[in-house]
Structure formats: C-alpha cells, structure tokens
C-alpha cells in the first residue's frame, strides 16, 4: 500500500527556473530532518522557462494549473496535495524552507492555520521594499486586525501551514494575490484555530522583477478586507450618518442655532435630512449584504445577527414604513394649512421649511423602509 503522506510542501510557480531547484532541495531536506512522510508539490501556472522539467528532475510532483493567478495556482495545488498538512511558500528562495519544524509542531498541536510572521522572525536587508515594510503590510494587517478582531500580525506572509481539510472547507475563491488575505479572513470568521510562528525573509534569488504589483495588489487586498466586513463598510458608517442627521434635524426643527457669528438654519437642516436618508439606506445595504452572504454560504451565520435579522420581518418593515409615511403626510398637511392661513401666498422659508423638511424626510424614509423590507424578504426566500 502507498504510504500515507503527512506533509505537502506546496509552491506556486510561474517561471521560477532560477530558484526552483534550490527551494525544492531545501524543502526535501527539511522533510527528511523531520522524519515524516512528505512530498514537494509544484503548482505550475503556465511556466515557459522549463520550470516543470526542473521540478521533475528534483523529484517534485508537478500539477498544471491553467487558470492564471497566484490564488488560482494555490487553490489548484491545495486540491491536488496528498498531505494531511500543507505548508505553502513562494519558489523565489525568499522563505526559509529549511525551518519548517515550527509549522509542523503547531499543526500537530491541533492548530488549523499556522501563519509565519516576518516582522518577528527577521527581514533581511533588501528583502522587502520600504513601501511594503513600513506602509503596505503594517497598514493592511492593521486594518485586518481591526475589522476581523484577529491577532495575526503579518496577514500577507507567504509561508504558512494549514490542515488541508480545514482550508478546503472554507471554499476559497480569489484568484489573485488577495488570496493571502482571504485565507486569513475566512479562517478567522469561521473560528479556525490560528497561531503565528516567527519566520525570516531573505532577498529573492531571481534576476527579474517579482510578480507582485504594489499598488494594484495592495488595492485588491484592501478591497477584499472591506467587502468581507459589511459591519465596517456599511453598518457603522450608516449608523453614524443616521445619528448625525437626526441630531441636526431634531435640533434645528425647534429653531435656528447661533454659534458666535455663525447661524445654522434650514439650509443646514437639508444636509441633516440628506445624512439621515443616506444613513438609513447604507444600513439597509448592510442588512442586504449580511443576508446574502449568510444565505449563500460566503460567511457563517452569527447568532446575534441572525436573531436581529429574524426579528425584522416583512410585515414589521411595512408597518414601520407606513407609520413614517403617515407622519410625513400629516406634516405635509399641516404645512399646507399654514400656507392656507397666508392665503396661499408667499411664506417665510425659515418657518415653513422647518416643518416641510422633516415631513419630506419621513415620506422618503417610509417608502425606503417598505421597498427595502420587500427586498430583504426576497433575499431570505429559500431555494435549492
């Protein structure tokens, strides 16, 4: 019977002929020192420099991944791996494949994702551009820690180990460099056991420029971090705008506010109305996003959010919207009556608009509630 493989060392590859043999040899030496059954798997993404032949000559297994992209190569490699554990790393000789023991030990302890941390292990001179070292990685990792309450200090370290079964259960889909963020984010929100170990980063051994494009790939990482966190992207900004708008509307509906030589009046009220309407719409978008992401399996259901969404039924939304519309109509009727007392002639805007602006705002919000409730109900329809 074929011996069960415990560890697969996975390397994505696109024209890495200069450094591939060195990386394979180091990985094989590390597997031998660990005295475990293992393999080196090269996920080739369409190399044209003979990388595939080099890999086979050094007893590595090669799997061809036709779909282009860093994420595509790794997803294909993960599915093709035979090991219970997988340690992935770039084939540019920047990561230390001779020091895989800490990753394997943490996996044996029961952790499902073991991240390398280059800032704790050491970054050699010239190994990481200053833009990445002092801006890109710290900022993006910091945003990831805030948005997802993660303890990971280096979101984008390319050397990481994981249990194949656990990562496959996440159904990772991104095809580009943002795959690194997706793995950490989905592991976090699905409550996988995650830890970090220090690792080093050396200057890569290639004579050509790296595949990474700083601003383009940085934006893809940031975009992914925001899209997968509707609370910070939609909910919190929506709540802030709604509260700000209501404070302005309620305060100025009583009368103008004088701050030294500045007078805030109905013109400011209009902006308060805008903030309120926009805030409610953004909150509704947060609910839409959360519902769709949960029902489609993109995100796990969270008990507290599920309870809130389950209590917000179509019927309750219609009732709230109808009450708002009724109040808006009453306010509009009162405004017309005030106009009638002036024989439907010219009015003083600073007085009448103080009633008209809140009434129009309520009418808009009421209609918004009704249509949003229907849309949320549609998203919740069960289908096969």
């Amino acid at each position: 019977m074929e011996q069960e493989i415990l560890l697969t060392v996975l390397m994505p590859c696109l024209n890495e002929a200069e450094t591939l043999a060195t990386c394979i040899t180091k990985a094989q030496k590390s597997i031998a020192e660990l005295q475990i059954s293992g393999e080196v798997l090269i996920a080739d993404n369409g190399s044209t420099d003979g990388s595939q032949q080099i890999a086979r000559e050094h007893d590595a297994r090669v799997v061809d991944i036709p779909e282009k992209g860093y994420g595509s190569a790794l997803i294909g490699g993960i599915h093709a791996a035979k090991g219970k554990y997988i340690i992935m790393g770039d084939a540019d000789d920047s990561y230390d494949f001779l020091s895989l023991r800490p990753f394997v030990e943490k996996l044996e302890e029961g952790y499902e994702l073991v991240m390398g941390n280059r800032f704790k292990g050491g970054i050699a001179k010239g190994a990481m551009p200053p833009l990445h070292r002092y801006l890109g990685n710290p900022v993006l990792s910091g945003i990831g820690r805030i948005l997802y309450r993660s303890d990971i200090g280096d979101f984008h370290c390319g050397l990481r180990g994981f249990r194949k079964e656990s990562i496959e259960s996440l159904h990772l889909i991104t095809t580009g460099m943002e795959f690194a963020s997706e793995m950490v984010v989905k592991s976090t929100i699905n409550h996988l056991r995650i830890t970090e170990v220090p690792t080093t980063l050396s200057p890569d051994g290639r004579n050509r420029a790296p595949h990474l494009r700083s601003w383009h790939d940085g934006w893809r990482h940031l975009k992914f971090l925001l899209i997968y966190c509707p609370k910070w992207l939609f909910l919190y900004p929506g709540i802030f705008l709604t509260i700000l708008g209501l404070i302005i509307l309620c305060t100025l509906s009583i009368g103008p506010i004088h701050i030294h030589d500045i007078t805030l009046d109905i013109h400011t009220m209009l902006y308060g109305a805008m903030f309120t309407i926009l805030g409610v719409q953004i909150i509704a978008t947060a609910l839409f996003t959360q519902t769709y992401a949960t029902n489609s399996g993109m995100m796990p259901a969270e008990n507290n959010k599920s309870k809130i969404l389950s209590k917000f039924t179509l019927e309750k939304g219609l009732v709230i919207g109808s009450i708002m519309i009724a109040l808006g109509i009453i306010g509009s009727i009162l405004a017309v009556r005030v106009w009638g007392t002036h024989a439907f002639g010219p009015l003083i805007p600073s007085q009448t608009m103080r009633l008209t602006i809140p009434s129009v705002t309520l009418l808009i919000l009421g209609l918004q509630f009704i249509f949003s409730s229907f849309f949320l109900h549609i998203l919740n329809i069960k289908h096969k």
Side-chain angles (χ1 to χ4, degrees), residues 99-275:
S99 302
L100 303 183
R101 183 177 297 276
F103 294 90
V104 176
E105 288 177 347
K106 290 296 182 182
L107 291 169
E108 291 281 67
E109 289 176 20
Y111 288 99
E112 295 168 282
L113 173 61
V114 183
M115 294 291 299
N117 190 316
R118 298 165 292 182
F119 298 97
K120 291 182 178 179
I123 301 173
K125 184 178 180 181
M128 184 182 292
L131 178 65
H132 298 179
R133 184 170 184 173
Y134 301 109
L135 180 64
N137 273 293
V139 169
L140 290 173
S141 295
I143 291 173
R145 287 194 297 272
I146 293 172
L147 297 188
Y148 299 97
R149 298 180 182 179
S150 172
D151 296 326
I152 299 302
D154 188 2
F155 261 58
H156 307 108
C157 182
L159 187 63
R160 56 185 73 180
F162 47 87
R163 291 173 176 262
K164 175 180 178 178
E165 182 181 14
S166 299
I167 295 301
E168 282 188 322
S169 70
L170 301 178
H171 305 293
L172 305 179
I173 59 173
T174 52
T175 60
M177 292 292 182
E178 69 275 20
F179 177 86
S181 293
E182 183 187 15
M183 181 182 291
V184 179
V185 167
K186 285 191 173 180
S187 296
T188 302
I189 63 179
N190 283 277
H191 308 294
L192 267 60
R193 291 192 65 197
I194 309 173
T195 190
E196 275 188 324
V197 296
T199 190
T200 59
L201 184 70
S202 304
D204 72 59
R206 302 169 300 190
N207 292 319
R208 61 168 176 80
H211 298 300
L212 180 68
R213 293 175 290 172
S214 299
W215 293 105
H216 177 268
D217 291 317
W219 164 241
R220 291 182 70 161
H221 280 287
L222 178 59
K223 181 170 63 174
F224 179 86
L225 290 173
L226 292 173
I227 287 174
Y228 264 76
C229 192
K231 288 189 300 185
W232 283 92
L233 182 60
F234 298 121
L235 184 61
Y236 295 154
I239 291 174
F240 172 76
L241 287 174
T242 302
I243 293 174
L244 176 63
L246 288 174
I247 290 173
I248 294 173
L249 277 174
C250 295
T251 304
L252 293 179
S253 63
I254 300 172
I257 297 176
H258 302 281
I259 305 174
H260 298 295
D261 296 331
I262 300 174
T263 301
L264 303 179
D265 207 343
I266 57 171
H267 306 89
T268 308
M269 273 190 84
L270 282 172
Y271 284 94
M274 180 194 73
F275 291 148

Side-chain angles (χ1 to χ4, degrees), residues 317-336:
L318 296 179
V319 170
I320 294 172
S322 300
I323 291 173
M324 287 183 172
I325 291 174
L327 292 174
I329 292 173
I330 291 171
S332 299
I333 292 172
L334 291 175
V336 171

Side-chain angles (χ1 to χ4, degrees), residues 234 238 242 275-288 365 368-369 372:
F234 298 121
T242 302
F275 291 148
T276 304
I277 295 169
L278 184 60
V280 171
Q281 180 60 59
I282 295 174
I283 291 172
T285 305
L287 294 176
F288 301 153
L365 291 177
Q368 199 169 327
F369 252 87
S372 295

